[in-house]
Amino acid sequence: MAPVMDSVASFISREHQLFIGGEFVPSKGTSRLDVYNPADDTVLTTAAAAGAEDIDAAVAAARAALPEWRALPAARRAELLWNRGTRITELADEFAQIDTLNNGKTTADAMAVDIPLVTGLLKYYAGWATKLEGRTITPMGGSNFHVYTRREPIGVVGAIIPWNFPLLMCGYKLGPALATGNTIVLKPAEQTPLSALRLAEIIREVGFPDGVINIVTGDGPGAGAPLAAHHGVDKITFTGETTTGQKIIDAAKGNMKKMSLELGGKSPSLVFADADLDAAVEGTFGAVYFNQGQCCIAGARVFVHDDIYDEFTQRLVDRVSQIRLGPGLDPDSTMGPLVSREQQTRVRGFIDSGVEQGATIVSDAQSPVPEQGYFVRPTVFTGATADMRIMREEIFGPVAVVGKFSDEEQAIAAANDTAFGLCSGVWTRDSARVHRVAAGIEAGTVYVNTYGMFDPAVPYGGFKMSGFGKELGEESLDSYLQTKTVWVNLD
Ligand code: NAI
Ligand code: MG
């Protein structure tokens, strides 16, 4: 097992406070969040549990910082974002360990995915800060007016993020919000506040003006709900469960906040008979089990053509049996624990429901699972029907449900038989089929002969009950900007 770095141990042992107005300040209340190490079920430390008064203070700080931040040359905003990305790269090992200790993910995954993506996207949006332009429009009814648009920041952004990619989710929100000249109050998930708090230290170091970024730790009802309802917040950006997203819509309506919601999924993977089977097995495996299955894009409903169903399923089961469960700090572990006791109980509940409702576990049901920590045995189900909970609800754990289809039409119908529409995977060598299926699937992203690709330049976001508003890419900027039209009479 890799030893915990001294700098990480020293960071974790600090007395964690709220980051408001450029300072670490105590919460106005006394309640604290216990912060766990999911690999061994121990309390690592505690963090402040912010309440409504703390949210008021953070929103006030963000509002006060707005004029200075908007007036700053775009080149300086770009530089600050870029420098923060660089600093995260310099501290990559430290951040990776913090997220491993607090979230459970393997350090290898954090180093391969979370860190490069977060630094990449901060740098990508640093580039956009200097390229936000309006348009000049000639009105169709005549040209004695000069009409132009300005793209202005919306104001104070409230960001509420989940625990599955703790540092990376901070970047998803901070990159575009700041590049476009907004200020922000960010609430990490109560389970995983630590990397966001370490990020706050860097924010100070890099020299962001006070109040531009405020980080308030706390739980959903205590801190998230007052942030979503706050009349001093102009836009809310949320990633998490669909039912929480619905609560946020209700809370946000008081002052007509702008919103982007990145919600749950139940994404399908379609494996056609002509697929490259090696690639399809490996890709589908990653789609389901990466990050312990705790991915909103998890391709957890796998539909396979009849002709290759038996072979594919056997190969997927073999691949799953190679998983080595263990603490994320152990380089031999290929899968860590789930984030919390609650998630472990929830995912096990889904597995039980699958069995009770008549589906069959075809993966090794006896493989060893560490006793301490929130581990769940990676599982493959077959024989599930469309109405079962394991087919309909987001499990958010290492569970695949493999079904069959006999033709393309059936495959598309099965893919779309869900309330969600986040992602999808298609495995085939038939190029005409690729385009037919891509057009037929109701989801924000279609991966063809690959899965789970992310790039800061490529937009991503859900259809149907998976939410609205794109993240990443140029598209994300739109949801942090409002267009002002100016008509000038030339007479
Ligand atoms: P959640 O949606 O309750 O939590 C996500 C964030 O929302 C956290 O920061 C939380 O503090 C905040 N929050 C909770 N209630 C709130 C409220 N009323 N107002 C404002 N903010 C609030 O997700 P949870 O309970 O941690 O996980 C439960 C399930 O949700 C998971 O098993 C999974 O199925 C799904 N989930 C999906 C995610 C995704 O990216 N699609 C991410 C996290 C969870
Ligand atoms: Mg919840």
Side-chain angles (χ1 to χ4, degrees):
M1 183 113 77
V4 175
M5 295 161 68
D6 289 346
S7 55
V8 170
S10 128
F11 163 72
I12 288 177
S13 68
R14 293 207 243 295
E15 166 139 0
H16 299 292
Q17 298 185 318
L18 307 174
F19 184 65
I20 296 178
E23 300 291 332
F24 286 96
V25 296
S27 162
K28 299 210 163 48
T30 52
S31 46
R32 308 282 300 171
L33 304 167
D34 282 335
V35 181
Y36 288 88
N37 179 349
D40 62 10
D41 188 28
T42 55
V43 175
L44 282 167
T45 183
T46 66
E53 272 187 84
D54 300 305
I55 297 297
D56 284 345
V59 173
R63 170 91 26 217
L66 206 48
E68 182 191 346
W69 184 239
R70 284 183 61 168
L72 212 61
R76 178 64 185 144
R77 285 207 306 269
E79 195 179 17
L80 287 166
L81 277 165
W82 185 277
N83 291 350
R84 192 170 37 151
T86 304
R87 194 73 188 110
I88 294 175
T89 307
E90 287 163 3
L91 297 172
D93 293 335
E94 200 181 297
F95 272 110
Q97 270 208 350
I98 293 171
D99 270 358
T100 293
L101 285 166
N102 191 184
N103 162 281
K105 66 177 67 217
T106 64
T107 308
D109 281 352
M111 288 299 281
V113 176
D114 300 52
I115 303 284
L117 195 48
V118 74
T119 56
L121 81 85
L122 290 173
K123 292 185 171 185
Y124 172 79
Y125 284 107
W128 272 115
T130 52
K131 295 165 195 71
L132 303 171
E133 293 163 353
R135 295 198 293 144
T136 307
I137 302 163
T138 306
M140 61 182 266
S143 61
N144 56 338
F145 289 94
H146 173 50
V147 181
Y148 64 94
T149 60
R150 293 166 48 84
R151 294 176 88 201
E152 298 184 352
I154 295 175
V156 174
V157 171
I160 301 175
I161 60 171
W163 39 258
N164 49 347
F165 294 92
L167 176 68
L168 178 56
M169 284 294 136
C170 294
Y172 268 60
K173 309 303 183 190
L174 292 171
L178 298 173
T180 46
N182 299 277
T183 58
I184 192 163
V185 176
L186 179 135
K187 191 200 83 61
E190 55 271 38
Q191 297 86 349
T192 54
L194 294 183
S195 49
L197 289 168
R198 183 69 185 98
L199 188 63
E201 296 181 345
I202 293 185
I203 287 162
R204 277 182 95 174
E205 214 182 287
V206 166
F208 278 90
D210 294 347
V212 169
I213 305 165
N214 305 276
I215 295 182
V216 276
T217 52
D219 65 17
L227 183 59
H230 205 292
H231 284 210
V233 173
D234 304 298
K235 180 211 158 93
I236 198 94
T237 172
F238 169 75
T239 302
E241 194 176 0
T242 294
T243 54
T244 313
Q246 289 168 325
K247 287 184 199 160
I248 285 174
I249 292 174
D250 285 339
K253 70 186 179 204
N255 67 329
M256 290 289 173
K257 283 180 191 64
K258 310 299 173 270
M259 263 188 276
S260 24
L261 302 176
E262 188 61 63
L263 308 176
K266 191 72 183 169
S267 298
S269 281
L270 305 180
V271 187
F272 287 88
D274 63 352
D276 172 341
L277 214 52
D278 291 337
V281 169
E282 194 57 32
T284 308
F285 170 79
V288 180
Y289 298 97
F290 176 67
N291 210 39
Q292 293 70 245
Q294 302 168 127
C295 295
C296 43
I297 66 160
R301 290 185 303 135
V302 185
F303 298 103
V304 186
H305 190 271
D306 290 326
D307 290 353
I308 55 164
Y309 176 82
D310 289 339
E311 186 182 355
F312 178 90
T313 307
Q314 188 52 51
R315 288 173 68 166
L316 182 65
V317 165
D318 291 345
R319 183 67 185 84
V320 169
S321 69
Q322 292 165 16
I323 292 174
R324 285 190 304 269
L325 286 178
L329 283 185
D330 184 342
D332 289 336
S333 307
T334 58
M335 183 180 281
L338 301 195
V339 72
S340 62
R341 176 73 72 203
E342 189 187 348
Q343 279 304 116
Q344 184 193 39
T345 306
R346 189 183 155 102
V347 172
R348 285 183 172 166
F350 272 112
I351 295 174
D352 291 345
S353 85
V355 173
E356 278 156 24
Q357 292 191 305
T360 307
I361 295 179
V362 290
S363 48
D364 180 0
Q366 306 302 323
S367 62
V369 176
E371 272 173 29
Q372 252 192 326
Y374 314 136
F375 293 91
V376 169
R377 179 180 292 120
T379 302
V380 181
F381 273 107
T382 58
T385 50
D387 56 329
M388 289 184 189
R389 287 188 62 211
I390 54 170
M391 268 295 192
R392 307 220 72 82
E393 297 176 40
E394 185 174 45
I395 299 177
F396 232 59
V399 183
V401 183
V402 188
K404 295 183 194 188
F405 64 83
S406 47
D407 61 35
E408 190 178 301
E409 203 182 322
Q410 245 183 35
I412 295 173
N416 292 339
D417 184 15
T418 170
F420 298 107
L422 196 49
C423 285
S424 55
V426 183
W427 297 88
T428 178
R429 287 180 168 119
D430 177 336
S431 61
R433 189 199 312 279
V434 164
H435 299 293
R436 285 194 305 268
V437 176
I441 288 183
E442 299 161 354
T445 298
V446 180
Y447 291 114
V448 181
N449 297 328
T450 184
Y451 202 91
M453 298 301 297
F454 275 89
D455 185 280
V458 180
Y460 151 80
F463 288 8
K464 294 159 83 177
M465 288 189 79
S466 296
F468 46 80
K470 293 287 177 193
E471 301 211 277
L472 306 181
E474 186 176 354
E475 279 77 358
S476 182
L477 300 169
D478 292 336
S479 71
Y480 290 94
L481 290 165
Q482 47 195 358
T483 299
K484 178 183 283 174
T485 307
V486 183
W487 285 78
V488 182
N489 189 341
L490 298 179
D491 285 342

